[in-house]
Amino acid sequence: MSVKIEKTENNNEVKLNFTVEAKEFEKSMNKVFKQNAKYFSIPGFRKGKAPMNIVEKFYGSEIFYEDAFNDVFANVYEEAIKENNIEVVTRPNVDVKVMEKGKDLEFVVTVGIKPEVKLGKYKGVEIEKVEYKVTEKDIEEELSKMQERNARLVSVTDRAVETGDTTVIDFEGFCNGEAFDGGKAENHELVIGSNTFIPGFEDQVIGMKIDEEKDINVKFPDEYFSKDLAGKDAIFKVKLHEIKVKELPKLDDEFAKDVSEFDTLAELKDDLKNKKEESNNEKAKNEMEESAVNAAVDCSEVEISDGMIEIELDNMVQDMDRRLSYQGIKFEQYLKMIGKTMADFRKESTETATKSIKMRLVLEAVYEDSKLEVSEEEIKNRVAELVATYGRKEEDITSNEELMKQLKNGIQTEKAVKFLVDNAKVVAKKENSKKDKEEKTEKADK
């Protein structure tokens, strides 16, 4: 096999001209025949027993060309990419020139390569100082959340339904006098004011009394996910069984003992404050990192091909599909729910995909230009973290070439980001936004 590499008119693209000897191509054809011989039925032979030359005469020798080519391509393409250190960033575009039994196989592969990044003045970029202070209100909000999580529902029998109540109801929905799928439930808990039902439904439950039955008239939203019901009037026959109210525990030392490892409410508050400070510091750190990276990206230039964007969009779709699957939702269902097509999603995500690619390329360039390095010790420590976090064996991680590459790339990215922040010019935050002014006024009033 021989390969000749040449640049195209596009600086971020190369052509690989392959020539594979006829005997190598024939080997692949023989391999493909052996793998598929059992499927051929030739008159005069038992199924799968006809020799290759007979099968070729009966079906034509071209029957093996495509599979044989794929077999050859899988080997020679990867080998050529590795030997010539080509960083491919798009799918290969293949153009077969000669593919015939007894002749050398000739084909051309055009691929996009990693584009050159023209870095701007990334050292000393200006970023605003970000700080988040912990206030008493923050602690109160955390305690309120803990109260909510530890609240209990208590039945109420001496009044009608009010906003905020949890009701237990039976209901059945009808459109044009006919019950519809998914419109019926018994002993269903509904929090009034949660807006989890069709607009107008919960409002009409307010005022109902225990054991009362009522017809509730609503109209399904025009954008409702079920096209059969979208925009239609409906009647729900509702019966109220129970009214419950949320009873919050009292905030005292006993509460602290029940919900934490602390003996007093004061100790619990101190712990909440410390955790909030850690959270705020991490949030501030992330925002300053984002500002430094964005500044470096904005002052840099890089040409991003459509092929790179398409691959990034594919990755975004796969990631979205994976995350939705954890919720038991298929990506196609999600698109229907939001009234979008796959083409809409990809088009609307193009800007995000482009920004993500540019950010990644700029950070790689910063890492190389700044002559940063990842030590073996750092890699070893990161592997140890993965072992501890996911309970995997060390050899399972270190033997996975792709995983180790991703791991090292992750550390390189972190180092590049840290370099940008460490070398940035940090200035005081400008209080020129409406929100800033409102917060400043609120503090002054206090």
Side-chain angles (χ1 to χ4, degrees), residues 217-413:
N217 296 281
V218 294
K219 182 177 181 179
F220 283 95
D222 294 333
E223 300 299 321
Y224 197 65
F225 71 91
S226 172
K227 293 182 179 179
D228 294 335
L229 299 174
K232 291 186 178 180
D233 293 321
I235 295 175
F236 281 87
K237 294 187 176 297
V238 178
K239 181 174 182 179
L240 176 67
H241 291 297
E242 193 174 358
I243 304 171
K244 300 178 182 179
V245 294
K246 189 179 293 183
E247 187 177 85
L248 298 177
K250 186 179 179 182
L251 288 175
D252 54 19
D253 291 345
E254 288 303 314
F255 174 78
K257 291 176 183 178
D258 290 340
V259 302
S260 71
E261 70 272 30
F262 302 105
D263 293 327
T264 66
L265 184 62
E267 290 175 316
L268 175 58
K269 285 183 176 182
D270 286 341
D271 183 65
L272 291 175
K273 182 179 180 181
N274 292 334
K275 289 178 178 176
K276 188 65 177 176
E277 285 177 345
E278 289 178 8
S279 174
N280 284 353
N281 291 339
E282 186 64 23
K283 181 181 178 182
K285 175 176 173 287
N286 291 339
E287 289 185 16
M288 291 179 69
E289 287 178 346
E290 184 179 357
S291 296
V293 172
N294 286 337
V297 169
D298 289 342
C299 69
S300 300
E301 295 179 20
V302 58
E303 185 178 331
I304 299 170
S305 67
D306 292 340
M308 291 184 72
I309 295 172
E310 287 303 310
I311 290 178
E312 186 71 18
L313 288 170
D314 288 344
N315 293 335
M316 290 174 67
V317 169
Q318 290 173 8
D319 181 61
M320 188 75 165
D321 186 45
R322 184 170 55 254
R323 285 188 283 122
L324 287 169
S325 68
Y326 296 146
Q327 304 173 41
I329 303 172
K330 292 184 177 180
F331 190 64
E332 293 77 9
Q333 292 175 309
Y334 168 75
L335 290 174
K336 286 182 181 179
M337 289 168 64
I338 62 174
K340 305 283 184 183
T341 64
M342 179 63 79
D344 293 332
F345 179 83
R346 292 178 76 91
K347 183 178 180 181
E348 292 171 5
S349 302
T350 296
E351 185 178 346
T352 301
T354 304
K355 183 177 180 181
S356 178
I357 295 168
K358 186 175 181 181
M359 185 179 296
R360 186 165 62 245
L361 292 172
V362 168
L363 286 173
E364 288 175 5
V366 168
Y367 177 85
E368 293 170 5
D369 192 64
S370 303
K371 295 180 173 54
L372 301 173
E373 293 182 356
V374 175
S375 68
E376 289 299 322
E377 187 67 23
E378 288 173 313
I379 294 176
K380 186 177 180 180
N381 290 339
R382 190 59 55 90
V383 169
E385 288 176 13
L386 292 176
V387 170
T389 303
Y390 300 104
R392 297 178 63 176
K393 293 181 179 179
E394 183 177 332
E395 54 267 30
D396 290 341
I397 298 173
T398 55
S399 62
N400 188 322
E401 187 177 334
E402 184 59 31
L403 180 58
M404 290 300 291
K405 181 181 177 182
Q406 291 176 5
L407 186 148
K408 185 175 181 180
N409 287 343
I411 300 174
Q412 290 176 344
T413 299

Side-chain angles (χ1 to χ4, degrees), residues 51 64-65 86 102 109-110 122 139 163 234 244 269 299 309 313:
F64 301 117
Y65 283 1
I86 299 173
V109 180
T110 306
Y122 65 90
I139 306 303
T163 299
K244 300 178 182 179
K269 285 183 176 182
C299 69
I309 295 172
L313 288 170

Side-chain angles (χ1 to χ4, degrees), residues 120-126 296 299 366 369-370 419-420 423-425:
K121 189 179 178 182
Y122 65 90
K123 296 177 185 177
V125 294
E126 186 176 292
C299 69
V366 168
D369 192 64
S370 303
F419 181 87
L420 290 173
N423 289 273
K425 179 182 178 183

